[in-house]
Amino acid sequence: SFYILFFFFNDTATTEIYTLSLHDALPISPCKRVNCMVIDSSYLYVGHGGPGEIRIIDLNTEFLIKKIETRSDINSISLNDKFMLIAFTDKIQIYDKSSFKLVKEISEHGREVNDCIFQDSYIIYSSRDQVKIIDSQSFELLKCIKYK
């Protein structure tokens, strides 16, 4: 059986605000696929198909806090206490979690980034035939391990 549920608030302004916030926070288009998701104590980070976007949603209010447009496919999202790490097909972007501002971009110049994670005080990612280990405070390359 098929059910339709309608709900209304007492005033038009409340209904409109609630509807607009849901429209902004939730993916409406069926064309965009969710590539990756990660959650912390305050936010849900959702990466939509590429080229696509990262949507950051407040868990308490369910409002969209920030939308980051991308031109590359999103492979993964990783978090630590200070930063959000986004691995794209050709680069890694590091954002400050408190301001959602871009802090650092690491380009792989044509090499595909497969995965990227925070591990203790390191950022570890793989691309094609190598694994790179980066200090998560200074963002300096500590080690590049090539394998075949």
Side-chain angles (χ1 to χ4, degrees):
S1 61
F2 184 83
Y3 297 97
I4 297 177
L5 176 65
F6 290 100
F7 61 93
F8 297 95
F9 294 101
N10 289 339
D11 65 11
T12 311
T14 306
T15 305
E16 185 175 327
I17 289 169
Y18 186 75
T19 305
L20 288 174
S21 65
L22 268 179
H23 180 268
D24 287 342
L26 299 175
I28 303 301
S29 171
C31 298
K32 292 194 181 226
R33 69 186 189 285
V34 174
N35 284 13
C36 50
M37 289 183 286
V38 67
I39 194 169
D40 65 11
S41 60
S42 303
Y43 302 109
L44 171 66
Y45 304 81
V46 181
H48 292 278
E53 63 197 16
I54 303 288
R55 288 180 179 232
I56 303 166
I57 301 167
D58 186 294
L59 290 175
N60 294 322
T61 64
E62 297 180 11
F63 288 149
L64 177 69
I65 300 299
K66 178 84 173 170
K67 185 176 4 176
I68 301 169
E69 300 287 331
T70 68
R71 292 185 176 169
S72 302
D73 288 340
I74 302 160
N75 288 344
S76 66
I77 304 171
S78 185
L79 305 172
N80 73 3
D81 57 334
K82 294 181 184 177
F83 299 109
M84 172 179 62
L85 185 68
I86 305 171
F88 297 96
T89 52
D90 57 346
K91 65 187 170 198
I92 294 166
Q93 288 183 337
I94 302 166
Y95 288 83
D96 182 285
K97 277 177 52 179
S98 60
S99 66
F100 304 114
K101 301 260 188 230
L102 181 64
V103 175
K104 179 79 172 169
E105 182 172 292
I106 302 167
S107 179
E108 274 303 300
H109 308 291
R111 295 169 99 61
E112 184 173 336
V113 176
N114 299 322
D115 198 10
C116 191
I117 60 168
F118 279 109
Q119 182 71 42
D120 301 323
S121 59
Y122 305 107
I123 297 170
I124 304 167
Y125 71 94
S126 64
S127 65
R128 205 175 288 160
D129 61 347
Q130 60 189 10
V131 173
K132 291 187 178 178
I133 302 169
I134 297 174
D135 182 274
S136 66
Q137 301 302 314
S138 67
F139 305 117
E140 292 196 27
L141 178 65
L142 300 175
K143 190 169 275 209
C144 179
I145 303 166
K146 295 187 179 196
Y147 56 90
K148 292 205 178 207

